[in-house]
Amino acid sequence: MPRTKLIAANWKMYKTPDQTRDFFRDFLPLVSGHERDEIVVCPPYVDLAAALEAARGSNIAVGAQNLHWKEVGAFTGEISAAMLLSLGVTHGIVGHSERRQYFGETDDTVNLRLKAALEAGLTPICCVGEVLEEREAGLTDDVLRRQCVRAFRAISAKKAARLVVAYEPVWAIGTGKTATPELAAEAHAVIRSEAGEVFGEEFAARMRILYGGSVKPENAAALMAQEEIDGALVGGASLEPKSFAAIVKY
Ligand code: PGA
């Protein structure tokens, strides 16, 4: 069964609301009528309202870059899935490697966020990926299986229906080094097999796995040609309307 590709922009800590409006003004005409793939833009929290307003009625969904697992509470600086949904946000990145590296995200908190997103009805984009030392030590498969099994813990296949996974080798993020399409496809197969063990083969065959890590207009087509690769999570190259549109239309 063919899986509709999902092309997602992760803006990280870039752009103000004004810059967000400018982006959409230029980006929308470039991708209007594009139906082959799903398009999601994940700006910083402060830009969500501007992005939603600008994307209204278009073929572009808006996602957040993180979410807390509680609905409300004394958690200074956090945002819940319920709050995001109330704005009209439909997607949420969970467990990005920058959260894991710099903000104390663990496999356990990734699991909590994932459960909360699914429970609330958001489509989570759950990131996994090995660091360079792990790849060089031949540990990539073990790391991916461990991250997946812990992220997926205590989630039923029924609850997981919307789950999207992003394979993001940490050594390829923001470095200009892309995994070769074949290398990425191998990692995706490992993730799919783990999802199969946890949620069942049928689920795994339908689950979308995105590739992320220095995706650019120049390498998008070769990556997307891999049957295992169901879309992209794009950082740096998603900040500029022309370059993100070129990736969407690979
Ligand atoms: P990059 O980032 O495209 O700038 O490598 C990808 C990501 O971190 O999601």
Side-chain angles (χ1 to χ4, degrees):
M1 188 203 306
R3 298 177 290 260
T4 303
K5 286 192 186 352
L6 172 65
I7 315 290
N10 172 14
W11 282 0
K12 310 193 179 186
M13 200 172 74
Y14 290 97
K15 295 195 193 291
T16 62
D18 277 346
Q19 291 167 333
T20 299
R21 284 183 274 272
D22 290 349
F23 174 92
F24 277 90
R25 184 198 55 221
D26 296 341
F27 182 64
L28 282 172
L30 298 176
V31 297
S32 78
H34 184 90
E35 285 174 358
R36 181 191 57 185
D37 314 280
E38 284 175 32
I39 310 170
V40 184
V41 174
C42 304
Y45 289 130
V46 296
D47 301 327
L48 287 171
L52 284 158
E53 170 74 33
R56 188 173 300 151
S58 78
N59 51 340
I60 300 164
V62 176
Q65 294 175 18
N66 195 13
L67 56 110
H68 194 263
W69 53 89
K70 287 284 172 80
E71 205 173 321
V72 290
F75 301 107
T76 303
E78 295 296 319
I79 307 278
S80 71
M83 290 170 172
L84 296 169
L85 279 162
S86 76
L87 271 186
V89 169
T90 49
H91 295 67
I93 299 173
V94 164
H96 189 276
S97 66
E98 283 150 19
R99 305 273 350 145
R100 295 179 192 254
Q101 269 183 301
Y102 309 132
F103 302 102
E105 186 84 62
T106 66
D107 290 333
D108 290 332
T109 54
V110 171
N111 174 245
L112 290 171
R113 291 183 211 280
L114 195 53
K115 278 196 278 203
L118 290 167
E119 199 74 48
L122 282 177
T123 297
I125 301 174
C126 178
C127 304
V128 296
E130 79 287 359
V131 299
L132 186 60
E133 299 78 62
E134 291 165 337
R135 174 156 288 273
E136 286 176 345
L139 295 172
T140 300
D141 293 8
D142 294 347
V143 170
L144 295 177
R145 285 189 184 278
R146 188 203 71 221
Q147 288 177 339
C148 286
V149 92
R150 293 192 183 165
F152 302 162
R153 197 168 43 212
I155 298 174
S156 67
K158 188 158 174 261
K159 277 272 158 66
R162 296 168 192 274
L163 173 64
V164 176
V165 174
Y167 169 58
E168 296 213 308
V170 180
W171 48 270
I173 296 179
T175 57
K177 287 186 207 149
T178 323
T180 61
E182 295 73 24
L183 212 72
E186 270 172 38
H188 284 217
V190 172
I191 293 167
R192 201 174 299 286
S193 113
E194 196 57 50
E197 302 219 341
V198 178
F199 299 123
E201 297 302 325
E202 206 181 306
F203 179 96
R206 268 185 282 118
M207 187 181 85
R208 290 180 294 183
I209 307 176
L210 317 183
Y211 169 77
S214 298
V215 176
K216 306 265 180 288
E218 303 78 55
N219 58 27
L223 287 160
M224 296 307 126
Q226 291 285 333
E227 205 189 307
E228 264 298 339
I229 301 184
D230 307 313
L233 183 54
V234 188
S238 73
L239 292 168
E240 214 272 307
K242 273 201 190 117
S243 112
F244 188 49
I247 293 172
V248 167
K249 300 201 272 191
Y250 61 86

